[in-house]
Amino acid sequence: DAGITQSPRHKVTETGTPVTLRCHQTENHRYMYWYRQDPGHGLRLIHYSYGVKDTDKGEVSDGYSVSRSKTEDFLLTLESATSSQTSVYFCAITGQGAFNVLTFGAGSRLTVL
Amino acid sequence: GIQVEQSPPDLILQEGANSTLRCNFSDSVNNLQWFHQNPWGQLINLFYIPSGTKQNGRLSATTVATERYSLLYISSSQTTDSGVYFCAVGGGNTPLVFGKGTRLSVIA
């Protein structure tokens, strides 16, 4: 997966609990993204980062926060998970500028009961 | 924001057949990429093609940016081509926006 590791790969949790998903890259790429994939919706952008401590919201950012304290790590946090956040979460990276090829991690499947 | 529409939503092919997948977008873009998601969920980049034509083996893609569409051609399809094909577009430095995909099933 081109040096992108997502963890955990699978998680089951209960409504109201906090959850953190981690994306780690070894490519030293500037841009990192979190997308969620749901049936009938394709991939939708949650948050993205264009550098250390530089983040911005995407289309479906409500209920999510992110942090990027190091180039290689991009964390996605659900402060209080809800059943509507049951989804598959994909991390992706690109190189300098947003014009390079988007490369995805393997995905993290989250189930909120 | 920019809208991306892919057609057809579903496609069933006999092995060996050819197919054309279409991606229409609502605004000017300078970034367009095609992806394949295999049945195990892995997303693989096929083409970075904001304009022009590219070929990679049995797959080729053409983007006509002035008319706001892109086509993905699959020739001599194989069962391993099954999965979902996504088109994603972006303008300026904005993140890519994805279409809802075309689900392809190739039957032996």
Side-chain angles (χ1 to χ4, degrees):
Chain A
D1 289 325
I4 308 173
T5 304
Q6 292 187 229
S7 59
R9 292 290 315 282
H10 302 273
K11 186 172 182 66
V12 179
T13 191
E14 294 187 348
T15 297
T17 60
V19 175
T20 295
L21 305 180
R22 179 182 184 236
C23 179
H24 178 79
Q25 59 137 336
T26 58
E27 307 295 317
N28 200 35
H29 281 349
R30 177 181 176 186
Y31 288 82
M32 299 184 75
Y33 309 85
W34 279 107
Y35 287 88
R36 61 177 287 175
Q37 185 176 27
D38 305 289
H41 289 279
L43 290 125
R44 294 180 292 174
L45 182 68
I46 305 171
H47 282 280
Y48 68 102
S49 169
Y50 45 96
V52 173
K53 299 191 188 303
D54 292 323
T55 65
D56 206 349
K57 296 179 179 180
E59 176 189 358
V60 290
S61 60
D62 287 349
Y64 302 94
S65 62
V66 290
S67 66
R68 191 168 179 200
S69 58
K70 299 183 291 184
T71 298
E72 57 266 35
D73 289 326
F74 192 32
L75 304 180
L76 177 70
T77 297
L78 292 65
E79 300 290 348
S80 177
T82 67
S83 58
S84 65
Q85 293 175 312
T86 292
S87 187
V88 180
Y89 292 86
F90 285 96
C91 175
I93 63 175
T94 58
Q96 290 298 318
F99 303 104
N100 282 349
V101 169
L102 189 67
T103 304
F104 281 92
S108 296
R109 182 175 294 275
L110 175 66
T111 301
V112 184
L113 301 176
Chain B
I2 194 166
Q3 304 296 313
V4 184
E5 290 190 7
Q6 293 187 240
S7 60
D10 295 281
L11 185 59
I12 300 174
L13 296 176
Q14 203 72 31
E15 198 170 28
N18 302 327
S19 62
T20 301
L21 282 57
R22 187 176 180 101
C23 171
N24 292 332
F25 43 94
S26 61
D27 207 345
S28 299
V29 300
N30 55 13
N31 188 354
L32 189 147
Q33 300 185 30
W34 283 95
F35 298 85
H36 175 226
Q37 186 171 38
N38 64 27
W40 296 272
Q42 186 181 17
L43 281 154
I44 302 297
N45 190 288
L46 298 175
F47 293 102
Y48 166 73
I49 185 166
S51 63
T53 297
K54 289 186 177 180
Q55 182 159 4
N56 184 2
R58 296 180 296 102
L59 273 60
S60 64
T62 295
T63 297
V64 184
T66 54
E67 297 186 21
R68 299 181 184 172
Y69 73 88
S70 183
L71 302 174
L72 179 69
Y73 305 96
I74 304 174
S75 64
S76 304
S77 59
Q78 301 176 357
T79 56
T80 53
D81 295 330
S82 296
V84 183
Y85 290 82
F86 290 103
C87 169
V89 304
N93 286 317
T94 60
L96 293 179
V97 175
F98 282 74
K100 294 184 178 181
T102 292
R103 181 174 298 277
L104 175 65
S105 299
V106 181
I107 301 171

